[in-house]
Amino acid sequence: QQQVKQSPQSLIVQKGGISIINCAYENTAFDYFPWYQQFPGKGPALLIAIRPDVSEKKEGRFTISFNKSAKQFSLHIMDSQPGDSATYFCAASIETGANSKLTFGKGITLSVRP
Amino acid sequence: GAVVSQHPSWVICKSGTSVKIECRSLDFQATTMFWYRQFPKQSLMLMATSNEGSKATYEQGVEKDKFLINHASLTLSTLTVTSAHPEDSSFYICSARAELDWSGELFFGEGSRLTVL
């Protein structure tokens, strides 16, 4: 059973446009929702994360929107740039301590056309 | 942010040999480190949770005798792929969370690409 599902599977956006990636989760006990960015041949890097006590968080061009009742959260990349072309993973975890494990979505490949 | 370093970044070995990959937290102490493997265009699959000074906890389906994990200090965990076979070829990534930091942020290494001939 896939606990964290991403959509779409791939995304192509024109430079300057808005990239929107969605994520749905199953486990209502999840209380930490990060987005990671990964470039080819590199490890993932944390972009932005949110907890269920807020519905939106913005950091620069990146915004997470969180809908607890729908068990969904999304990443919005404003003014998308070719340098944003990468694979994006949503994840979720139960924050019970240092051993808490992240459950990752399958990832989506974003291509930003110049 | 905190830095996690992996070494080597890539390695090629012959089938049947063993390969050790190191994961170091450079500027923080990590009681817990996590090891993942990632196949091309796929997600990260958690292999095991490495705890300093104790045995690693392996995920279901991961052979503990094949993937040996040692977490001897608060800044170093190692993954040894024993008797490697071509199907073990993959991208191995470690991550760590700063000790006493339960904020949730995991710092990932740059990954180690293993190719078994």
Side-chain angles (χ1 to χ4, degrees):
Chain A
Q1 179 187 9
Q2 189 181 350
Q3 292 201 59
V4 180
K5 296 182 181 179
Q6 285 186 240
S7 62
Q9 290 188 322
S10 63
L11 183 62
I12 300 174
V13 174
Q14 288 296 124
K15 178 182 175 182
I18 302 173
S19 303
I20 302 174
I21 307 168
N22 301 301
C23 199
Y25 62 95
E26 299 286 330
N27 190 343
T28 54
F30 286 144
D31 58 4
Y32 175 70
F33 305 91
W35 282 94
Y36 285 86
Q37 179 189 57
Q38 185 180 29
F39 293 105
K42 301 292 185 182
L46 178 68
L47 259 184
I48 188 171
I50 199 168
R51 298 186 187 278
D53 53 344
V54 296
S55 60
E56 187 174 282
K57 182 176 180 180
K58 183 177 180 179
E59 290 183 0
R61 295 186 295 113
F62 302 97
T63 300
I64 292 184
S65 297
F66 183 79
N67 186 330
K68 188 173 182 178
S69 60
K71 293 190 289 185
Q72 294 177 347
F73 59 108
S74 60
L75 175 68
H76 295 230
I77 305 175
M78 311 299 287
D79 188 26
S80 300
Q81 299 297 312
D84 296 329
S85 298
T87 300
Y88 291 81
F89 294 96
C90 63
S93 69
I94 303 169
E95 289 298 287
T96 56
N99 280 7
S100 64
K101 299 181 287 189
L102 280 173
T103 299
F104 283 89
K106 287 191 173 182
I108 91 120
T109 302
L110 170 65
S111 297
V112 181
R113 297 273 172 83
Chain B
V3 178
V4 175
S5 173
Q6 282 186 239
H7 178 81
S9 55
W10 58 270
V11 57
I12 301 172
C13 71
K14 292 183 179 180
S15 185
T17 60
S18 295
V19 174
K20 180 186 285 187
I21 300 169
E22 294 184 347
C23 177
R24 294 181 185 273
S25 54
L26 296 186
D27 50 2
F28 66 98
Q29 293 185 326
T31 307
T32 303
M33 292 184 175
F34 302 90
W35 286 97
Y36 302 81
R37 67 186 299 182
Q38 184 179 33
F39 292 107
K41 299 190 183 300
Q42 293 192 24
S43 189
L44 287 78
M45 184 195 82
L46 180 65
M47 300 175 66
T49 303
S50 168
N51 298 294
E52 187 267 337
S54 64
K55 291 183 179 180
T57 303
Y58 290 82
E59 295 299 302
Q60 190 174 8
V62 178
E63 299 176 61
K64 62 180 180 180
D65 294 330
K66 179 161 188 65
F67 299 101
L68 300 180
I69 292 173
N70 184 277
H71 194 154
S73 77
L74 285 172
T75 59
L76 174 65
S77 175
T78 60
L79 168 67
T80 301
V81 182
T82 62
S83 186
H85 290 283
E87 57 266 30
D88 298 324
S89 298
S90 188
F91 195 50
Y92 292 89
I93 309 172
C94 71
S95 69
R97 181 180 283 121
E99 188 184 12
L100 302 182
D101 177 8
W102 293 354
S103 67
E105 182 166 1
L106 272 179
F107 299 98
F108 283 82
E110 290 285 278
S112 300
R113 181 159 308 280
L114 170 64
T115 300
V116 184
L117 301 177

